[in-house]
Amino acid sequence: FAGTMFAHDILRSDAKIEVHGNQARAAFTLNLFELTAPIVPGSPRATPAQLDASIHDIFASFQQHYTLRSAVKTTLTQYVLIDGNVVHMEVTYDFPDDITSLEVESHLDQIMPPGHKHFLAVKMGDTVQQAILDSGTKKATFTGVAIPKWQTSLRFIRLGIEHIFTGYDHLAFLLGLLVATASIRSLVTIVTSFTIAHSITLALATFQLVHLPSRLTESLIAVSIAYIAAENLLDFRLMKRYYITFFFGLIHGFGFSNVLRDMDLPRSSLALSLFSFNLGVEIGQITFVLLIFPLVRDLMTSGWTRLKPAVSACIGVLAVWWFVQRAFLS
Protein backbone atom coordinates (compact mmCIF):
# COMPACT_ATOMS: atom_id res chain seq x y z
CA PHE A 1 0.00 0.00 0.00
CA ALA A 2 2.81 2.38 0.84
CA GLY A 3 6.11 2.61 -0.94
CA THR A 4 8.89 4.93 -1.98
CA MET A 5 7.78 7.58 -4.47
CA PHE A 6 9.96 7.77 -7.58
CA ALA A 7 10.65 10.58 -10.02
CA HIS A 8 8.52 9.24 -12.85
CA ASP A 9 5.44 8.53 -10.74
CA ILE A 10 2.39 10.73 -10.75
CA LEU A 11 2.51 13.05 -7.72
CA ARG A 12 0.04 11.23 -5.52
CA SER A 13 -1.44 10.28 -2.20
CA ASP A 14 -3.57 7.25 -1.49
CA ALA A 15 -6.51 6.36 0.72
CA LYS A 16 -8.44 3.20 1.55
CA ILE A 17 -11.69 3.68 3.42
CA GLU A 18 -13.86 0.93 4.87
CA VAL A 19 -17.37 1.66 6.12
CA HIS A 20 -18.66 -0.16 9.22
CA GLY A 21 -22.04 1.02 10.49
CA ASN A 22 -21.65 4.62 11.63
CA GLN A 23 -17.86 4.58 11.34
CA ALA A 24 -15.45 4.96 8.45
CA ARG A 25 -11.90 3.70 8.94
CA ALA A 26 -9.36 5.22 6.61
CA ALA A 27 -5.73 4.43 5.82
CA PHE A 28 -3.82 7.27 4.15
CA THR A 29 -0.40 7.33 2.54
CA LEU A 30 1.37 10.50 1.47
CA ASN A 31 4.89 11.65 0.74
CA LEU A 32 6.06 14.02 3.47
CA PHE A 33 8.40 15.82 1.11
CA GLU A 34 5.66 16.73 -1.31
CA LEU A 35 4.01 18.84 1.36
CA THR A 36 4.18 22.60 0.87
CA ALA A 37 5.94 22.88 4.24
CA PRO A 38 8.06 19.71 4.63
CA ILE A 39 9.06 18.72 8.15
CA VAL A 40 12.76 18.66 7.24
CA PRO A 41 13.36 21.40 4.63
CA GLY A 42 16.06 20.54 2.11
CA SER A 43 16.38 16.91 3.21
CA PRO A 44 15.02 13.82 1.41
CA ARG A 45 14.59 11.91 4.68
CA ALA A 46 12.99 12.29 8.09
CA THR A 47 13.41 10.34 11.32
CA PRO A 48 10.60 8.88 13.46
CA ALA A 49 11.41 11.48 16.12
CA GLN A 50 11.02 14.31 13.60
CA LEU A 51 7.69 12.88 12.49
CA ASP A 52 6.55 12.57 16.12
CA ALA A 53 7.31 16.26 16.65
CA SER A 54 5.42 17.31 13.51
CA ILE A 55 2.54 14.85 13.21
CA HIS A 56 -0.04 17.06 14.92
CA ASP A 57 0.66 19.96 12.55
CA ILE A 58 0.65 17.59 9.56
CA PHE A 59 -2.64 16.02 10.62
CA ALA A 60 -4.23 19.41 11.36
CA SER A 61 -3.35 20.62 7.86
CA PHE A 62 -4.57 17.33 6.42
CA GLN A 63 -7.93 17.69 8.20
CA GLN A 64 -8.39 21.19 6.81
CA HIS A 65 -7.91 19.97 3.27
CA TYR A 66 -9.58 16.55 3.39
CA THR A 67 -13.07 15.91 4.71
CA LEU A 68 -15.72 13.23 4.90
CA ARG A 69 -19.00 15.14 4.89
CA SER A 70 -21.22 14.82 8.00
CA ALA A 71 -18.50 13.20 10.13
CA VAL A 72 -18.83 14.44 13.72
CA LYS A 73 -15.48 13.21 15.00
CA THR A 74 -12.11 12.57 13.37
CA THR A 75 -9.39 10.66 15.22
CA LEU A 76 -5.84 9.87 14.22
CA THR A 77 -5.43 6.38 15.67
CA GLN A 78 -2.01 5.40 14.34
CA TYR A 79 0.83 6.61 12.14
CA VAL A 80 4.14 5.22 10.94
CA LEU A 81 7.08 6.48 8.89
CA ILE A 82 8.07 4.36 5.88
CA ASP A 83 11.46 4.64 4.15
CA GLY A 84 12.06 8.04 5.73
CA ASN A 85 9.76 9.96 3.39
CA VAL A 86 6.30 8.34 3.42
CA VAL A 87 3.80 8.59 6.27
CA HIS A 88 1.01 6.07 6.71
CA MET A 89 -1.86 7.37 8.84
CA GLU A 90 -4.88 5.45 10.11
CA VAL A 91 -7.86 7.71 10.80
CA THR A 92 -11.32 6.97 12.19
CA TYR A 93 -14.37 9.06 11.23
CA ASP A 94 -17.49 8.80 13.40
CA PHE A 95 -20.94 9.69 12.04
CA PRO A 96 -24.22 10.31 13.89
CA ASP A 97 -26.00 7.50 12.00
CA ASP A 98 -25.17 4.44 9.94
CA ILE A 99 -23.45 5.44 6.72
CA THR A 100 -25.53 4.90 3.56
CA SER A 101 -23.75 7.48 1.42
CA LEU A 102 -20.20 8.79 1.78
CA GLU A 103 -19.06 12.08 0.26
CA VAL A 104 -15.32 12.70 0.20
CA GLU A 105 -13.84 16.11 -0.60
CA SER A 106 -10.14 16.69 -1.17
CA HIS A 107 -8.25 19.96 -1.44
CA LEU A 108 -4.88 18.27 -0.97
CA ASP A 109 -3.72 19.87 -4.21
CA GLN A 110 -3.45 23.11 -2.21
CA ILE A 111 -0.74 21.72 0.08
CA MET A 112 0.89 19.35 -2.43
CA PRO A 113 2.78 20.06 -5.68
CA PRO A 114 0.92 21.04 -8.87
CA GLY A 115 -0.49 17.97 -10.59
CA HIS A 116 -1.06 16.08 -7.34
CA LYS A 117 -3.64 13.29 -7.49
CA HIS A 118 -5.40 11.49 -4.68
CA PHE A 119 -6.23 7.82 -5.35
CA LEU A 120 -9.19 6.71 -3.29
CA ALA A 121 -10.80 3.30 -2.76
CA VAL A 122 -13.95 2.94 -0.64
CA LYS A 123 -15.40 -0.36 0.55
CA MET A 124 -19.08 -0.35 1.50
CA GLY A 125 -20.44 -3.84 2.13
CA ASP A 126 -19.31 -6.06 -0.73
CA THR A 127 -18.71 -3.16 -3.11
CA VAL A 128 -15.35 -1.47 -3.67
CA GLN A 129 -15.29 1.74 -5.69
CA GLN A 130 -12.42 3.96 -6.76
CA ALA A 131 -12.04 7.64 -7.48
CA ILE A 132 -9.20 9.95 -8.47
CA LEU A 133 -9.39 13.42 -6.96
CA ASP A 134 -7.30 16.37 -8.15
CA SER A 135 -7.55 20.09 -8.81
CA GLY A 136 -10.25 19.48 -11.40
CA THR A 137 -12.24 16.87 -9.47
CA LYS A 138 -12.42 17.60 -5.77
CA LYS A 139 -15.43 15.52 -4.68
CA ALA A 140 -16.60 11.93 -4.98
CA THR A 141 -19.72 10.29 -3.59
CA PHE A 142 -20.02 6.59 -2.78
CA THR A 143 -23.32 4.78 -2.17
CA GLY A 144 -22.35 1.12 -2.21
CA VAL A 145 -23.88 0.75 -5.68
CA ALA A 146 -21.43 -0.24 -8.39
CA ILE A 147 -20.77 2.51 -10.95
CA PRO A 148 -21.27 1.79 -14.69
CA LYS A 149 -18.39 0.00 -16.36
CA TRP A 150 -17.99 2.75 -18.95
CA GLN A 151 -17.26 5.28 -16.20
CA THR A 152 -14.60 2.98 -14.75
CA SER A 153 -13.11 2.54 -18.21
CA LEU A 154 -12.95 6.28 -18.94
CA ARG A 155 -11.39 6.95 -15.55
CA PHE A 156 -8.53 4.53 -16.17
CA ILE A 157 -8.02 5.59 -19.79
CA ARG A 158 -7.51 9.12 -18.47
CA LEU A 159 -5.13 7.84 -15.82
CA GLY A 160 -3.07 5.97 -18.43
CA ILE A 161 -2.78 9.05 -20.64
CA GLU A 162 -1.74 11.22 -17.70
CA HIS A 163 0.76 8.60 -16.56
CA ILE A 164 2.55 8.78 -19.91
CA PHE A 165 2.65 12.57 -20.08
CA THR A 166 3.88 12.87 -16.48
CA GLY A 167 6.27 9.93 -16.82
CA TYR A 168 9.31 11.85 -18.01
CA ASP A 169 11.57 8.81 -18.01
CA HIS A 170 9.22 6.89 -20.33
CA LEU A 171 9.07 9.91 -22.63
CA ALA A 172 12.88 10.17 -22.57
CA PHE A 173 13.10 6.50 -23.58
CA LEU A 174 10.72 7.05 -26.49
CA LEU A 175 12.58 10.19 -27.55
CA GLY A 176 15.85 8.28 -27.58
CA LEU A 177 14.25 5.79 -29.96
CA LEU A 178 12.70 8.46 -32.20
CA VAL A 179 15.90 10.40 -32.89
CA ALA A 180 17.58 7.21 -34.16
CA THR A 181 14.68 5.94 -36.28
CA ALA A 182 14.91 6.75 -39.97
CA SER A 183 11.66 5.41 -41.41
CA ILE A 184 7.98 4.99 -40.59
CA ARG A 185 8.33 1.22 -40.99
CA SER A 186 11.12 1.04 -38.42
CA LEU A 187 9.14 3.30 -36.08
CA VAL A 188 6.04 1.08 -36.28
CA THR A 189 8.12 -2.04 -35.62
CA ILE A 190 9.88 -0.52 -32.61
CA VAL A 191 6.75 1.00 -31.05
CA THR A 192 4.81 -2.25 -31.57
CA SER A 193 7.60 -4.23 -29.92
CA PHE A 194 7.64 -1.87 -26.94
CA THR A 195 3.84 -1.96 -26.65
CA ILE A 196 3.59 -5.76 -26.69
CA ALA A 197 6.36 -6.11 -24.13
CA HIS A 198 5.10 -3.60 -21.58
CA SER A 199 1.54 -4.92 -21.97
CA ILE A 200 2.74 -8.40 -20.97
CA THR A 201 4.50 -7.35 -17.78
CA LEU A 202 1.83 -4.77 -16.92
CA ALA A 203 -0.75 -7.58 -16.91
CA LEU A 204 1.49 -10.05 -15.05
CA ALA A 205 2.33 -7.52 -12.33
CA THR A 206 -1.21 -6.15 -11.98
CA PHE A 207 -2.62 -9.65 -11.52
CA GLN A 208 0.23 -10.23 -9.03
CA LEU A 209 1.64 -13.18 -10.99
CA VAL A 210 5.10 -11.58 -11.11
CA HIS A 211 6.48 -8.91 -8.84
CA LEU A 212 9.74 -6.96 -8.87
CA PRO A 213 10.81 -4.53 -6.14
CA SER A 214 10.06 -0.93 -7.11
CA ARG A 215 13.63 0.18 -6.47
CA LEU A 216 14.94 -2.46 -8.89
CA THR A 217 12.33 -1.70 -11.54
CA GLU A 218 12.87 2.06 -11.46
CA SER A 219 16.65 1.68 -11.50
CA LEU A 220 16.47 -0.65 -14.51
CA ILE A 221 14.23 1.82 -16.34
CA ALA A 222 16.97 4.41 -15.89
CA VAL A 223 19.53 1.88 -17.19
CA SER A 224 17.37 1.25 -20.28
CA ILE A 225 17.36 4.96 -21.10
CA ALA A 226 21.13 5.21 -20.59
CA TYR A 227 21.67 2.20 -22.87
CA ILE A 228 19.58 3.67 -25.70
CA ALA A 229 21.46 6.96 -25.35
CA ALA A 230 24.81 5.11 -25.46
CA GLU A 231 23.78 3.19 -28.60
CA ASN A 232 22.81 6.43 -30.29
CA LEU A 233 26.00 8.26 -29.30
CA LEU A 234 28.42 5.43 -30.14
CA ASP A 235 26.43 4.31 -33.19
CA PHE A 236 26.51 0.61 -32.36
CA ARG A 237 23.90 -2.16 -32.05
CA LEU A 238 24.29 -5.35 -30.06
CA MET A 239 21.09 -6.59 -31.70
CA LYS A 240 18.25 -5.26 -33.79
CA ARG A 241 16.65 -2.24 -32.16
CA TYR A 242 13.20 -3.82 -31.85
CA TYR A 243 14.71 -6.76 -29.92
CA ILE A 244 16.30 -4.51 -27.33
CA THR A 245 13.15 -2.39 -27.25
CA PHE A 246 11.09 -5.49 -26.44
CA PHE A 247 13.45 -6.41 -23.62
CA PHE A 248 13.36 -2.95 -22.09
CA GLY A 249 9.61 -2.76 -22.69
CA LEU A 250 9.22 -5.68 -20.28
CA ILE A 251 10.93 -3.58 -17.60
CA HIS A 252 8.87 -0.47 -18.33
CA GLY A 253 5.71 -2.57 -17.96
CA PHE A 254 6.60 -3.21 -14.32
CA GLY A 255 6.97 0.54 -13.90
CA PHE A 256 3.51 1.14 -15.37
CA SER A 257 2.05 -1.50 -13.06
CA ASN A 258 3.01 0.39 -9.89
CA VAL A 259 0.01 2.70 -10.28
CA LEU A 260 -2.58 -0.07 -10.54
CA ARG A 261 -0.97 -2.37 -7.99
CA ASP A 262 -0.90 0.32 -5.30
CA MET A 263 -4.61 1.00 -5.82
CA ASP A 264 -5.50 -2.55 -4.69
CA LEU A 265 -8.29 -2.86 -7.24
CA PRO A 266 -11.09 -5.40 -6.70
CA ARG A 267 -10.76 -8.56 -8.75
CA SER A 268 -14.20 -7.98 -10.31
CA SER A 269 -13.03 -4.83 -12.12
CA LEU A 270 -9.32 -5.58 -12.43
CA ALA A 271 -9.41 -6.78 -16.05
CA LEU A 272 -11.41 -3.74 -17.21
CA SER A 273 -9.21 -1.33 -15.26
CA LEU A 274 -6.06 -2.97 -16.65
CA PHE A 275 -7.29 -2.87 -20.24
CA SER A 276 -8.46 0.74 -19.94
CA PHE A 277 -5.25 1.92 -18.26
CA ASN A 278 -3.14 0.21 -20.92
CA LEU A 279 -5.30 1.75 -23.64
CA GLY A 280 -4.72 5.16 -22.08
CA VAL A 281 -0.96 4.50 -22.00
CA GLU A 282 -1.05 3.60 -25.72
CA ILE A 283 -3.10 6.69 -26.59
CA GLY A 284 -0.58 8.87 -24.75
CA GLN A 285 2.36 7.08 -26.30
CA ILE A 286 1.01 7.27 -29.87
CA THR A 287 0.11 10.93 -29.40
CA PHE A 288 3.66 11.70 -28.27
CA VAL A 289 5.15 9.81 -31.22
CA LEU A 290 2.85 11.50 -33.76
CA LEU A 291 3.77 14.91 -32.38
CA ILE A 292 7.53 14.40 -32.09
CA PHE A 293 8.50 12.09 -34.97
CA PRO A 294 7.55 14.50 -37.81
CA LEU A 295 9.48 17.27 -36.04
CA VAL A 296 12.52 15.01 -35.68
CA ARG A 297 12.40 14.02 -39.37
CA ASP A 298 12.05 17.64 -40.50
CA LEU A 299 15.04 18.70 -38.40
CA MET A 300 17.16 15.80 -39.67
CA THR A 301 16.29 16.36 -43.34
CA SER A 302 16.94 20.08 -43.00
CA GLY A 303 20.57 19.30 -42.23
CA TRP A 304 20.65 19.46 -38.45
CA THR A 305 22.87 16.39 -38.09
CA ARG A 306 23.70 17.17 -34.45
CA LEU A 307 20.14 16.51 -33.28
CA LYS A 308 20.70 12.82 -32.57
CA PRO A 309 23.90 13.21 -30.48
CA ALA A 310 22.60 16.32 -28.70
CA VAL A 311 19.31 14.71 -27.65
CA SER A 312 21.02 11.42 -26.78
CA ALA A 313 23.58 13.17 -24.60
CA CYS A 314 20.85 15.02 -22.70
CA ILE A 315 18.76 11.94 -22.01
CA GLY A 316 21.92 10.01 -21.13
CA VAL A 317 22.80 12.54 -18.44
CA LEU A 318 19.23 12.42 -17.12
CA ALA A 319 19.32 8.63 -17.08
CA VAL A 320 22.51 8.52 -15.06
CA TRP A 321 21.03 10.96 -12.53
CA TRP A 322 17.80 8.95 -12.31
CA PHE A 323 19.78 5.77 -11.74
CA VAL A 324 21.83 7.30 -8.93
CA GLN A 325 18.72 8.80 -7.38
CA ARG A 326 16.67 5.61 -7.53
CA ALA A 327 19.36 3.07 -6.74
CA PHE A 328 21.17 4.95 -3.95
CA LEU A 329 19.22 8.01 -2.78
CA SER A 330 15.59 6.84 -2.68
Side-chain angles (χ1 to χ4, degrees), residues 67-95:
T67 56
L68 272 59
R69 186 176 181 183
S70 300
V72 295
K73 183 181 179 182
T74 304
T75 307
L76 175 63
T77 59
Q78 186 177 352
Y79 63 90
V80 64
L81 183 66
I82 302 171
D83 291 338
N85 69 330
V86 174
V87 61
H88 175 78
M89 299 187 298
E90 296 185 6
V91 181
T92 300
Y93 295 87
D94 291 298
F95 291 75

Side-chain angles (χ1 to χ4, degrees), residues 214-280:
S214 293
R215 183 185 296 271
L216 175 61
T217 299
E218 303 304 328
S219 299
L220 289 176
I221 288 174
V223 170
S224 73
I225 301 167
Y227 177 84
I228 292 298
E231 273 198 350
N232 291 349
L233 287 169
L234 301 177
D235 199 23
F236 77 95
R237 297 284 188 275
L238 290 179
M239 60 184 74
K240 292 182 178 180
R241 179 55 71 92
Y242 62 85
Y243 287 158
I244 197 67
T245 303
F246 183 87
F247 173 73
F248 286 137
L250 295 174
I251 298 170
H252 282 249
F254 285 111
F256 292 142
S257 73
N258 289 338
V259 173
L260 296 184
R261 190 179 65 248
D262 290 346
M263 293 181 73
D264 194 23
L265 298 168
R267 301 290 293 185
S268 59
S269 64
L270 189 56
L272 177 62
S273 301
L274 170 63
F275 174 80
S276 301
F277 178 77
N278 198 40
L279 178 59

Side-chain angles (χ1 to χ4, degrees), residues 5-22:
M5 309 287 182
F6 290 95
H8 92 286
D9 286 340
I10 296 173
L11 296 170
R12 62 183 287 180
S13 57
D14 300 87
K16 291 181 182 178
I17 301 176
E18 291 190 11
V19 173
H20 301 276
N22 71 330

Side-chain angles (χ1 to χ4, degrees), residues 8 10 153-167 169-171 173-174 191 194-203 206 249 252-260 272-290:
H8 92 286
I10 296 173
S153 181
L154 286 178
R155 181 180 299 158
F156 281 92
I157 288 173
R158 175 190 170 193
L159 179 61
I161 294 172
E162 291 177 343
H163 187 66
I164 277 292
F165 282 103
T166 57
D169 50 359
H170 298 302
L171 295 181
F173 182 79
L174 289 173
V191 171
F194 183 68
T195 297
I196 293 172
H198 77 63
S199 296
I200 292 171
T201 47
L202 172 59
T206 302
H252 282 249
F254 285 111
F256 292 142
S257 73
N258 289 338
V259 173
L260 296 184
L272 177 62
S273 301
L274 170 63
F275 174 80
S276 301
F277 178 77
N278 198 40
L279 178 59
V281 168
E282 298 317 314
I283 291 172
Q285 182 174 282
I286 291 170
T287 301
F288 178 77
V289 170
L290 291 178

